[in-house]
Amino acid sequence: MNAKANKNQSSCIEPSYYQAVTQAIRTQAVQVLKDGTVAGVVGYLPGRRKGTARPALITTPEEAEKLIFSPACVNNLSVYLTKSKKGVLKQGRIGIVAKGCDMRALAGLMGESQIKREDLFIIAVDCAGVYGSRAERSESVTEANIARKCHECTVHHPEGADFVAGAATELSGLTPLEAEEMARIEALPQAERWAFWKEHFSRCIRCMACRQVCPFCYCEQCLCDKNRPQAVENSPRPAGNTAWHIVRAMHLAGRCGGCAECERVCPMDIPLNLLNRRMAKELKELYDYEAGLAPAEKGPLNQYKEDDDQSFIK
Amino acid sequence: MHAEAKQHDFEPKIVAFVCTWCTYAGADLAGTSRMQYPANVRVLKFPCTGRIDPVFILRAFQKGADGVLVSGCHPGDCHYMAGNFHARRRFAAFRALLDFVGVDLHRLQFSWVSAAEGGKWVEVVTELTERVRAMGPMLEFKSLEHEEQWSAFQAMADVPGVVNTPELKEAYDKI
């Protein structure tokens, strides 16, 4: 009991840390806006309710004084820079506040020629973790309310940014929930795996929030919206849902940086990040590729080696 | 002249996605050489294995295929230089995904069959057909086609908290 209490205490980030990060972001944002380095900054403003935050585009130094960073800053802001959102700014360099996982999305988008590094001023955050989607939002992040993805975060300390707010900090001793869940599903017999996903996919209401929020779903016309010929049934029925989620995972394979926004926004609580993680794991094993660590011209499925594994081919 | 065709209880539907330059020609060779192979296979011709989208495989399963075969040129023989190399990576990833979702990979076969390998085509098709025949019909995707979102709630009829009135049941049965 005592040991548990101690552990919880050690894995808790003080609110003062977030205040320091907030201050650093504000100072930097004000500076780059004043000296004209950027035309705007995509960051977080406090939400209307206590303990929330909302994404915002800041264009004046006065507004930049209101920027915050807190564990409620869950959004991956890189989605606002993609084609699907038609770009937040028509011209000029743009600043963006990015956590480690968001940096991976930015790197991926750069690799896919969606954004240019020189058009960005990345204000990275040495992020200790953000709130889970249904967690109680207390003053600080603890093991109880941290997001699932943060349990296994490997990018606490972002690299390659123009400015890093905050200094090395991370929660220790978190259980790798997603890895455990993935191992559990992999160990199930095939029929039970199907039953597991069938139950989840059947609940899907096809709101497409997972697609809207994904930085990599920037296609102007999604394959799954086409109806001549129709590739994936688009009404919310189990058959179409299953196809949609399989196609989605396939299209993100080798690209997904693991920000888990799809899972966060899912109103039906479908564990979408499990699929993404499974694909990431497979591509790491097969081709030793990890998405989003640095801008790469070609992803693992856009390149090949003559001696790739073909043991599954007769 | 021909061996009497054996009657089976179950004839699986096999969909074969083949590349036009190698496997299609290989299958043609098997035909012109009068080799015998199961008629269960439906051949669909594509320019290259690189053109075969994983969606096609999904769609085949959903529309009633019991087994799917994807076949093309041997590595290095691609008419478009690298189509099959790309396909190889894509299908390696796709297999892993299907496996994770719970699809039996024994129903999905990949092969390299060149234009000169009529015999190999017969061998691949026969083996897949017999294997799928032994496994029986593929019900997973097919049954999904007939289900609606609320089917899951029907299965949970006895679970407290789930709305399930006789009227709902009647309405459901009418669908």
Side-chain angles (χ1 to χ4, degrees):
Chain A
M1 188 68 201
N2 248 341
K4 183 108 198 274
N6 281 340
K7 193 180 154 201
N8 276 347
Q9 197 134 42
S10 69
S11 56
C12 164
I13 301 295
E14 291 302 314
S16 61
Y17 177 69
Y18 291 99
Q19 281 154 19
V21 172
T22 298
Q23 206 49 54
I25 292 175
R26 281 179 187 168
T27 316
Q28 190 63 30
V30 167
Q31 193 197 322
V32 290
L33 278 168
K34 264 193 182 145
D35 65 19
T37 315
V38 298
V41 174
V42 187
Y44 305 94
L45 287 181
R48 289 201 183 86
R49 282 172 294 138
K50 193 170 171 286
T52 60
R54 64 189 168 92
L57 171 66
I58 305 292
T59 48
T60 61
E62 293 74 53
E63 283 177 298
E65 289 287 356
K66 298 189 193 110
L67 284 173
I68 59 158
F69 187 78
S70 73
C73 297
V74 288
N75 313 61
N76 181 351
L77 300 178
S78 60
V79 71
Y80 294 104
L81 305 183
T82 61
K83 190 164 66 179
S84 67
K85 303 289 177 287
K86 298 293 178 215
V88 287
L89 272 192
K90 290 285 172 250
Q91 55 201 9
R93 199 171 168 199
I94 192 157
I96 182 166
V97 179
K99 304 184 287 293
C101 41
D102 310 343
M103 292 278 292
R104 294 182 74 166
L106 286 174
L109 287 171
M110 282 177 222
E112 294 177 15
S113 309
Q114 295 302 309
I115 43 179
K116 294 197 190 102
R117 181 65 183 88
E118 58 266 29
D119 291 344
L120 290 181
F121 185 91
I122 303 175
I123 303 173
V125 177
D126 204 309
C127 166
V130 292
Y131 291 138
S133 56
R134 204 151 303 185
E136 195 191 327
R137 298 191 165 185
S138 53
E139 282 294 298
S140 58
V141 164
T142 60
E143 189 166 358
N145 62 11
I146 195 168
R148 271 159 59 107
K149 64 171 175 179
C150 301
H151 282 250
E152 292 151 82
C153 180
T154 54
V155 283
H156 285 294
H157 317 303
E159 282 169 28
D162 294 292
F163 175 78
V164 180
T169 176
E170 56 191 287
L171 292 175
S172 53
L174 295 172
T175 36
L177 287 180
E178 285 191 323
E180 280 176 9
E181 177 73 351
M182 192 157 75
R184 184 184 75 80
I185 295 167
E186 277 174 348
L188 289 176
Q190 175 240 323
E192 284 179 37
R193 271 195 309 254
W194 178 261
F196 173 87
W197 287 111
K198 182 177 166 181
E199 192 271 321
H200 278 300
F201 292 157
S202 294
R203 286 185 294 114
C204 175
I205 54 171
R206 298 297 277 289
C207 64
M208 296 296 176
C210 45
R211 188 176 70 186
Q212 285 301 109
V213 82
C214 180
F216 291 102
C217 277
Y218 54 72
C219 291
E220 281 178 359
Q221 184 176 26
C222 180
L223 171 82
C224 302
D225 285 342
K226 284 181 69 166
N227 56 5
R228 202 185 266 186
Q230 188 175 54
V232 172
E233 184 191 349
N234 51 19
S235 43
R237 298 177 63 239
N241 295 350
T242 306
W244 156 244
H245 287 292
I246 292 176
V247 169
R248 192 185 147 277
M250 194 60 209
H251 284 184
L252 287 175
R255 306 165 70 216
C256 172
C259 68
E261 285 283 275
C262 43
E263 187 169 316
R264 179 181 70 82
V265 297
C266 181
M268 303 309 283
D269 290 331
I270 300 171
L272 294 170
N273 203 34
L274 275 181
L275 290 170
N276 298 338
R277 286 191 57 121
R278 179 67 188 82
M279 293 314 284
K281 181 181 155 207
E282 188 69 21
L283 292 168
K284 171 96 175 110
E285 278 170 12
L286 283 173
Y287 310 120
D288 196 27
Y289 184 93
E290 267 186 273
L293 295 186
E297 201 180 318
K298 282 185 171 173
L301 298 184
N302 299 331
Q303 55 177 315
Y304 65 91
K305 286 203 180 99
E306 298 213 343
D307 58 348
D308 280 334
D309 170 56
Q310 57 171 5
S311 52
F312 65 96
I313 302 174
K314 211 168 135 75
Chain B
M1 204 162 80
H2 296 303
E4 194 68 24
K6 203 177 158 227
Q7 289 294 314
H8 296 282
D9 295 336
F10 167 59
E11 287 297 343
K13 271 187 192 153
I14 310 284
V15 176
F17 297 108
V18 305
C19 110
T20 184
W21 301 100
C22 293
T23 306
Y24 194 81
D28 198 29
L29 178 68
T32 47
S33 315
R34 308 219 163 191
M35 295 176 183
Q36 296 285 319
Y37 64 88
N40 305 57
V41 64
R42 279 88 167 150
V43 177
L44 287 144
K45 186 165 80 163
F46 286 81
C48 177
T49 33
R51 173 65 184 90
I52 300 166
D53 194 304
V55 169
F56 300 161
I57 301 175
L58 273 183
R59 190 112 178 118
F61 279 132
Q62 286 189 326
K63 293 293 164 192
D66 300 301
V68 170
L69 171 66
V70 177
S71 185
C73 307
H74 284 269
D77 290 351
C78 181
H79 188 79
Y80 308 98
M81 312 312 285
N84 54 1
F85 284 123
H86 287 293
R88 185 166 65 182
R89 281 205 168 191
R90 194 179 311 144
F91 290 129
F94 187 57
R95 274 181 99 247
L97 178 59
L98 283 187
D99 188 43
F100 189 58
V101 176
V103 177
D104 197 336
L105 292 181
H106 290 106
R107 295 182 183 275
L108 182 55
Q109 177 73 57
F110 297 92
S111 67
W112 305 132
V113 174
S114 81
E117 293 177 322
K120 186 174 175 188
W121 169 253
V122 170
E123 188 191 313
V124 167
V125 169
T126 313
E127 192 197 308
L128 179 63
T129 309
E130 291 314 317
R131 189 167 70 211
V132 173
R133 196 197 303 283
M135 289 168 77
M138 168 116 182
L139 295 174
E140 283 99 335
F141 281 104
K142 254 180 268 182
S143 67
L144 274 188
E145 285 288 310
H146 300 293
E147 281 184 34
E148 297 292 339
Q149 251 182 336
W150 49 86
S151 307
F153 292 97
Q154 283 290 314
M156 298 193 300
D158 303 328
V159 180
V162 175
V163 183
N164 195 25
T165 62
E167 290 81 15
L168 266 181
K169 173 129 185 62
E170 196 191 324
Y172 176 78
D173 290 338
K174 270 190 197 152
I175 298 167

